[in-house]
Every structure is written in C-alpha cells, then in structure tokens.
Amino acid sequence: MKYKMYDEMMEQPDSLRRTFESELPVMDEVSELVSNVDKVYLIGCGSSISTCYSVRDAIRMSSTNIDIEVYAGYEFYYNKKLVENENSLAIFTSQSGETADTLAALRRANEYGIHTVSISNEPESSMIKEAKTPIATRCETETAILGTKTYITQLACLYRILFKASDYENKDELLSELSQMPEMLQKLLDTTEEDNKALAEKYADEDIFYCLGSGPNFGLAYKLAMTMLMEGAIKHACPEYAAEFRHGLIERAEKDVPVIILRSDLDSDEITQKAIDFCENLEAKTILYDLKVYADMDKLLSPFILVIPLEWFVYYLAHFNDEDPGATRHIGKVRY
C-alpha cells in the first residue's frame, strides 16, 4: 500500500529544482543582508526548527563571521533582549506559514524594526505576506505531517543563504554540491528504500528510539525523534547531541535498547564514536546511518543525504504498525 507521504517523498528532487529556479535571486539578496548585520536569528517550530539547528551548527563548525541564534517561536516572542532597530536579521521558517508561535514571533520582530525574512511553502500565507522579504518554497501542497519536500527545500534555502555569506574556506564547493542535490536525492530515493524497509520490519515492535547526532546531524536527529518517529510512526523518541550521551542517556542505554546514531566523520564525531562503542559493548540495538555509505560530499551537507534513508525507515515503520505515516491524532497541518 502507498500512502500520500510516498508521493511527497518522490517529489523532493523536483521541489528542490523548482525552488532553486524560482527563489535563488531572493536568497542571494538575503545573503547580502546577512553579510551586513551583527546577528542572525533563526526561528521555527517542529521540523522547521530542526533545519535551523542544522544550519546553525554547520555554520558554527566552519565559519567565524556569522553570529546565529536559534529560537522556537514563542521563546523569541518573549525574548526581552531585543532592541528596537537593532542591526540584526530574523529568518522565520514554517511549512504552512501560519504556525501561530512563529507568526507571533515574526510580528514581534516587525514591531522592533528588525528585517524579517520568511521561508514558507504557502505563497498566500500570513508569514509570506507579512515578512519584509518572503521566500516561497515550490513544493505544491504537502499533507504528510512529518515534512519531506518542505523540509528539504527549507533546509536548502537556509544553507544557500548562510553559506554564501560565510567565510567557510570550502563554501564554493559546498554550494556547488548543494546545487546538484536534486540528482543526489533522486539516486538515494531509488537505492535506499529496500534496505530501510527491511530494517523497519526488524524494528517494528520497538516502542522507543534514542536519536543521536553531532554538528548539523543533531538537527536531523531532532527532526527524526520529534516529528518523524513521534508524529509519523507514533513511536516514543528522544533526540540528543551525541556528546550528551555520556549524561542521562548512558544510564538508559541497555541491552536491546534501540539507539539510532548519525555519523559523518566530522571532527566532533570523535565523540559520536565513543557513544557507538559504548552501545556495542552493552549490546544495545545500534542503528548507524553513516554519510560515507551514501555519498562523497562535504560532510556539512550530511542532513540532506541521511534524511532520505531515514524517511524510508520511518515510512515503513509506520506501515508495519498499521499507521499512515502522514496522519496524526492531534496535530493539524498547522492552522490553529
């Protein structure tokens, strides 16, 4: 049986192509703005904040010239350190463009005279209309709650904007690889389904998963736990930075406990390897997604690559539990 999420997954390459073709000039305008401000705020919720975490950590690991802070919608709204007409830029991310938390934060930033940028998939949404600089991802309507094509296009917009403005020494190569990402996504969609279908069948009866990643992979681990597993597969899940494994999680990682670990051979994955070793010594059910298995490209682009096999895993995990991976019990898509 195919669910709506299947079609939306397969639309990811074309959605990214259309977004680049349509919105690249605006992204480059925003990059110029980033180059001239003292601080960049990234604001979102759910899958959208996960893209903010990934690009923030990728920039912090590679660049020195951009100061980035990430906030959930209402945490930004209630931030008392905002200054009227401060020299900053706020980028708001939302699939629907109507997420109440994020929209309230955007309106607060407008009140303070901060230049606002919105990235949303709905061209007629409030966030697109109210931001000073709107960027509309070109995915057409998305219904699967956990976010596939809107996630990948939103992440790509943030990477393009911030890395173009960065002083990362390999940014030209990274941006070139980013422009070729639609072809890579298609290859991964075609080649990673069956292995992850089998993996999902193997773990279908598990009820809780711990999700670990370092650097930009933490943002993906957050998305994996908070939206893909909990919303899509109706499984309990907990995301952590890989280095945080040595705190509370080390007491819960026991024999047969499933731990999903994302690795890309980043410098910080020296610590990720320690978590892998500990899990293996305990005979935990270690599920490793390693960038080098799937692609040879800049390690900072890892979330774009690893999300595709993870999507297949979650899609079939839901299926083997008689769940529609795009439906939820309590969450709308999101207009409240």
Side-chain angles (χ1 to χ4, degrees), residues 4-5 7-23 27 94-96 119-123 135-144 147-157 185 333:
K4 183 60 178 174
M5 179 184 165
D7 296 325
E8 294 177 352
M9 286 175 60
M10 299 307 290
E11 290 165 5
Q12 290 176 100
D14 283 342
S15 296
L16 188 51
R17 286 190 190 95
R18 289 194 300 267
T19 299
F20 280 152
E21 289 168 1
S22 172
E23 302 301 299
M27 293 184 221
S94 168
Q95 297 169 23
S96 68
I119 303 174
S120 173
N121 191 51
E122 297 296 333
I135 296 173
T137 57
R138 304 297 171 167
C139 304
E140 300 180 346
T141 300
E142 182 177 65
T143 60
T148 55
K149 56 186 179 176
T150 56
Y151 166 83
I152 209 78
T153 51
Q154 188 181 107
L155 184 66
C157 290
L185 296 179
K333 188 68 177 171

Side-chain angles (χ1 to χ4, degrees), residues 154-165:
Q154 188 181 107
L155 184 66
C157 290
L158 289 172
Y159 264 71
R160 172 72 190 192
I161 289 167
L162 291 165
F163 272 98
K164 186 172 176 60

Side-chain angles (χ1 to χ4, degrees), residues 2 132 223 275 326:
K2 290 184 179 178
K132 292 183 176 67
K223 173 181 171 57

